Amino acid sequence: MAGNWKMYKTAGETTAFFEKILPLVALSTHCDIVIAAPFVNLPAAVAAAAGSRVEVGAQNLYWAKEGAYTGEVSGPMLSAIGCRWVIIGHSERRQYFGETEETVLKRTKAALEHGLRPIVCVGERLKERESGNTDQVLQTQFEGGIAGLSEAEFAKVTIAYEPVWAIGTGKTATPDMAADAHRFLRGLVSAKYGAEAASRTRILYGGSVKPDNVKGLMAQPEIDGALVGGASLDAASFATIVNF
Ligand code: PGA
């Protein structure tokens, strides 16, 4: 269960969030719990989460280890502060910051090389769904952004299926729609990495996951977890989702 805070919260608000949520998820051993915070809040998040079941993630990274790349943050920098996960290829990065399949693959390889666990996002836009191209889009994103990984690399990847039209809109994919997409993605994984890898791979659903719809989504065997935006900003609401 992963929370994606996007560009929300100060360091002080980060610490306050962890103080509230930790007692609420202290017994939640059924899943991994990740909060992906803005870069500058990662040290506060790591410090506040120390000794708990909650791990901390970043929302992006650059693929070079270091260098003259003004404004960027690298994998070794994230690992060094105790960040364990990183979201890659979120649709907002694809839409506003020029992320492509090629850069998704580069970032994913860099994350793995530096001991971070990537959560790689894929998902179709509304127009693509309406024109019947969902599978085609997912296949293109999988082939370009993920399938270039070796088997050993892929084993450490979590996929997040996030239909773009469901992100921040209050429109959730129905559990059946989400499960269909997850099944299709798992089929792609199976074709590339084998049936065992496919059954082991965790595929998260993201897009307006809330305390009142998480149960229905998680009832689908195809859905292994959630990537939660808006509802992860409130400790009580994210704890309810974690403890669905
Ligand atoms: P949302 O965002 O839950 O606010 O729709 C999900 C995401 O973008 O990861």
Side-chain angles (χ1 to χ4, degrees):
M1 290 300 202
N4 171 15
W5 278 1
K6 312 193 178 186
M7 199 176 72
Y8 286 97
K9 292 194 194 289
T10 61
E13 289 163 349
T14 300
T15 306
F17 173 93
F18 277 88
E19 277 166 13
K20 272 198 206 138
I21 199 168
L22 293 186
L24 303 177
V25 299
L27 303 176
S28 313
T29 51
H30 60 283
C31 63
D32 289 331
I33 308 167
V34 178
I35 289 289
F39 286 133
V40 291
N41 296 336
L42 293 174
V46 169
S52 79
R53 298 209 62 260
V54 181
E55 295 187 301
V56 173
Q59 300 170 13
N60 187 29
L61 84 168
Y62 193 62
W63 50 82
K65 210 174 129 202
E66 59 185 14
Y69 301 105
T70 302
E72 295 298 310
V73 172
S74 74
M77 294 173 189
L78 294 173
S79 293
I81 58 157
C83 179
R84 295 282 166 261
W85 297 76
V86 60
I87 297 173
I88 294 173
H90 189 279
S91 64
E92 286 149 19
R93 298 224 55 93
R94 293 175 188 262
Q95 190 177 346
Y96 307 129
F97 302 102
E99 189 85 76
T100 64
E101 310 317 336
E102 192 192 346
T103 58
V104 166
L105 183 61
K106 281 177 153 174
R107 289 184 217 280
T108 304
K109 281 179 176 279
L112 291 164
E113 191 183 324
H114 300 294
L116 296 160
R117 306 190 61 179
I119 300 173
V120 181
C121 303
V122 295
E124 81 287 1
R125 298 176 203 204
L126 184 60
K127 248 200 254 151
E128 294 162 339
R129 174 161 285 266
E130 285 176 346
S131 56
N133 288 326
T134 298
D135 288 358
Q136 184 53 55
V137 169
L138 295 179
Q139 182 158 358
T140 302
Q141 292 176 340
F142 177 83
E143 283 172 359
I146 298 176
L149 300 171
S150 69
E151 274 177 41
E153 286 172 328
F154 180 75
K156 300 197 184 89
V157 168
T158 298
I159 297 174
Y161 167 62
E162 298 205 306
V164 179
W165 48 271
I167 294 177
T169 57
K171 281 189 217 163
T172 328
T174 63
D176 284 333
M177 277 161 87
D180 281 347
H182 283 220
R183 207 170 291 116
F184 179 74
L185 283 164
R186 215 178 286 282
L188 296 175
V189 173
S190 182
K192 170 75 193 169
Y193 296 105
E196 207 197 307
S199 69
R200 227 181 16 231
T201 300
R202 289 190 283 190
I203 307 181
L204 313 182
Y205 169 78
S208 297
V209 176
K210 306 289 177 202
D212 63 1
N213 61 24
V214 65
K215 265 193 197 146
L217 289 161
M218 292 305 296
Q220 294 284 342
E222 276 294 336
I223 301 181
D224 303 310
L227 180 54
V228 184
S232 72
L233 293 168
D234 178 73
S237 135
F238 188 55
T240 305
I241 290 172
V242 168
N243 297 324
F244 67 94

